[in-house]
Amino acid sequence: MKIEQIYTGCLAQGAYYIQSGNEAVIIDPLREVQPYIEKAEKNGSKIKYVLETHFHADFVSGHIDLAKKTGATIVYGPLANPTFEAHIAHDGEVLTVGTLKIKVLHTPGHTMESTCYLLLDENDKELALFSGDTLFIGDVGRPDLAQKAAHLTQEELAGTLFDSLRNKIMKLPDDIIVYPAHGAGSACGKNMSKETSDTLGNQRKFNYALRANMTRDEFIAEVTDGLLPPPAYFPENVRLNKHGYASIDSVLAKGTQALSPAAFEAAANETGALILDTRDAQVFAKGFIPNSINIGLGGSFAPWVGALIPDINQPILIVDEAGREQEVVTRLARVGYDNALGFLQGGISAWQQAGHDLDSIESISAEETAARLAAEPAAILLDVRKISENYSEHVLGAQNLPLDVVNEEMASLNPDKAYYIHCAGGYRSMIFASILKARGFDKLIDVQGGFKAIKDSEKFEVSPYLCPSTML
């Protein structure tokens, strides 16, 4: 028997490979399916099932491509209604893989088709629960994402989730291992642990949502409290997962076309494509194609693409480091952005050599930021971290405008004022500055190293208290 968690940090997502004998199953695969196929071939097994825990909102699953390439059967739990061929299992149905059994547990609440898969050995001993977004380590799935599809309120979905947890999951033995679909950093929950698996017994002790004495009303109140609006691309990913999508092979073929500077410029002008520069923030700051947006591949790239590029069908032209174009296109496709048109061959140096202009964003140290702010009373220190980060600790007098809402709240900023922009470490601040720069703001200065550098400089008055600073 082999159980392998395949964890992708950028999405905080866990897919699973289970093998017994010469048969294997994949649970919640990512869009790029070749690694799963190669793993099965290397282990001398054939993929029998692709098990989907629900219609995912935060990424596009590879279920369709994987089934087409391997002949595996796609499996969903009750109430799923995909428009492609799949086996809709009934609650309690048992699937076999080698000598192992996989029992289908319908656990609605996060979504109405949400299903967990319980792994049993040849002696029917319960070994592991693949819990999807129903149960996380330290949290449970948010109940507000499927309201429209289910025609239910988030409170009604939360109540349904309470019933699923109490009637199905909490009746299982303490020693089974819980393998969820996500960990800390995912927007599918609000209090997830950095751990990516745990025993159910430990979760009974430490997961707030599994308290033994918790009433249904208490559960509903706590699970629905503090939910932030979901990213705008979530419904689009659900649609793709439910109704299908283009093959990853065709997406990669189109997106990894090498374009000369002349062809790149022509494509930008003809299609209205967004120029997405995925280089490191400080490299980007020194020189970039005018009106391009920086979302560095080294951070939470795909979720930020989904949060900040409103149209999932937006044509995209890529600027990146040499040799990373396939990774960029793959990570765009993971969240459904399939309309990459190609990349700039030779990168920024080729653009310069072709005689094209570059733009830049000034980036300075925290110490220099302090000196300039003292000399420029009208300048603004702008904190683009989340509201919760700002509440926890912030520079007194700074204004807070989270990167998440920059597109909606940009009108609150004054292009005639100078903004010194910081986040936690420098990744989000450059994204924010690049978006403003592309919209005509010129007085933008990035604070290198973000809030950490600001604290270390001891040049600012930082509040350690749980109180908000001036809000925009």
Side-chain angles (χ1 to χ4, degrees):
M1 178 181 69
K2 179 190 289 286
I3 301 174
E4 184 176 346
Q5 183 184 66
I6 306 168
Y7 198 78
T8 304
C10 177
L11 291 172
Q13 189 269 346
Y16 295 92
Y17 175 91
I18 305 169
Q19 181 179 333
S20 177
N22 62 359
E23 293 184 332
V25 301
I26 309 294
I27 302 177
D28 293 339
L30 284 183
R31 185 82 179 270
E32 62 275 21
V33 300
Q34 194 58 35
Y36 307 116
I37 296 171
E38 293 173 357
K39 184 180 292 292
E41 290 175 348
K42 181 180 178 181
N43 292 327
S45 68
K46 177 177 174 58
I47 298 174
K48 184 177 183 180
Y49 295 116
V50 181
L51 306 180
E52 289 288 310
T53 56
H54 63 297
F55 294 122
H56 304 282
D58 60 315
F59 72 99
V60 178
S61 177
H63 53 306
I64 296 176
D65 277 348
L66 190 54
K68 286 179 179 177
K69 292 187 176 188
T70 65
T73 299
I74 300 171
V75 178
Y76 282 93
L79 303 185
N81 55 345
T83 57
F84 46 83
E85 185 176 351
H87 174 65
I88 309 304
H90 61 78
D91 187 28
E93 183 174 341
V94 175
L95 310 170
T96 61
V97 50
T99 61
L100 300 176
K101 298 175 183 178
I102 298 175
K103 187 175 182 179
V104 176
L105 299 180
H106 185 214
T107 52
H110 174 64
T111 67
M112 290 306 293
E113 79 282 355
S114 285
T115 295
C116 299
Y117 297 100
L118 179 63
L119 183 68
L120 302 92
D121 68 12
E122 60 272 19
N123 298 314
D124 288 338
K125 177 177 172 53
E126 296 160 328
L127 303 175
L129 182 73
F130 299 89
S131 59
D133 286 19
T134 296
L135 176 62
F136 298 126
I137 307 306
D139 200 2
V140 292
R142 57 191 293 174
D144 62 321
L145 300 183
Q147 297 176 78
K148 185 175 180 180
H151 305 291
L152 297 170
T153 66
Q154 67 177 20
E155 288 76 20
E156 289 171 324
L157 283 164
T160 302
L161 180 58
F162 176 86
D163 296 338
S164 293
L165 292 167
R166 265 63 186 175
N167 298 333
K168 297 285 181 68
I169 292 177
M170 292 179 70
K171 290 183 177 180
L172 299 172
D174 281 347
D175 62 349
I176 69 166
I177 307 298
V178 177
Y179 291 109
H182 294 291
S186 169
C188 292
K190 61 180 181 178
N191 194 43
M192 282 180 264
S193 167
K194 64 180 180 180
E195 303 301 326
T196 59
S197 65
D198 195 9
T199 64
L200 181 58
N202 269 343
Q203 284 305 291
R204 290 188 207 275
K205 296 176 184 176
F206 302 116
N207 190 322
Y208 76 98
L210 300 188
R211 294 199 310 271
N213 62 350
M214 195 179 210
T215 68
R216 198 171 194 269
D217 287 343
E218 288 172 341
F219 178 91
I220 292 170
E222 292 187 39
V223 167
T224 58
D225 180 54
L227 290 173
L228 297 174
Y233 72 99
F234 272 25
E236 289 298 313
N237 278 200
V238 171
R239 179 182 61 80
L240 291 169
N241 283 318
K242 188 173 181 178
H243 299 295
Y245 45 75
S247 165
I248 187 65
D249 297 332
S250 63
V251 174
L252 285 170
K254 181 176 69 172
T256 56
Q257 295 181 94
L259 302 175
S260 68
F264 190 91
E265 182 180 36
N269 291 334
E270 292 169 7
T271 67
L274 181 149
I275 301 174
L276 181 62
D277 193 318
T278 68
R279 296 175 298 155
D280 177 80
Q282 289 302 312
V283 176
F284 171 85
K286 292 181 175 68
F288 54 86
I289 297 173
N291 298 321
S292 58
I293 303 301
N294 174 239
I295 304 179
L297 199 61
S300 295
F301 173 75
W304 280 120
V305 166
L308 298 172
I309 301 177
D311 183 4
I312 203 168
N313 298 309
Q314 170 70 51
I316 295 173
L317 289 166
I318 297 163
V319 178
D320 61 0
E321 303 289 355
R324 297 200 308 182
E325 50 275 359
Q326 180 157 331
E327 182 182 0
V328 174
V329 177
T330 298
R331 288 171 70 173
L332 286 170
R334 284 177 183 168
V335 288
Y337 287 76
D338 289 357
N339 202 12
L341 306 178
F343 70 97
L344 178 61
Q345 188 172 33
I348 287 297
S349 60
W351 184 261
Q352 281 184 289
Q353 290 166 13
H356 297 297
D357 293 333
L358 293 180
D359 209 339
S360 63
I361 291 173
E362 189 176 13
S363 186
I364 62 176
S365 68
E367 289 80 2
E368 186 173 351
T369 299
R372 290 200 193 179
L373 287 171
E376 302 175 48
I380 296 169
L381 181 63
L382 188 60
D383 181 349
V384 301
R385 298 175 300 157
K386 294 179 180 178
I387 292 175
S388 58
E389 294 173 274
N390 177 267
Y391 275 23
S392 178
E393 201 171 23
H394 57 268
V395 177
L396 292 180
Q399 294 184 351
N400 179 227
L401 182 62
L403 173 59
D404 312 60
V405 296
V406 61
N407 290 322
E408 296 81 7
E409 301 296 334
M410 192 181 303
S412 65
L413 299 176
N414 184 345
D416 294 326
K417 289 189 175 182
Y419 290 98
Y420 291 77
I421 305 168
H422 83 82
C423 59
Y427 180 80
R428 287 173 287 176
S429 59
M430 192 58 68
I431 299 174
F432 192 103
S434 71
I435 292 173
L436 261 62
K437 187 78 170 177
R439 304 284 182 87
F441 286 73
D442 289 321
K443 299 176 181 179
L444 306 170
I445 303 93
D446 173 68
V447 183
Q448 287 180 22
F451 190 68
K452 183 181 184 303
I454 285 172
K455 285 186 68 176
D456 290 345
S457 74
E458 299 183 349
K459 299 289 186 181
F460 296 84
E461 187 176 358
V462 173
S463 168
Y465 304 109
L466 294 172
C467 59
S469 63
T470 303
M471 303 291 291
L472 282 174

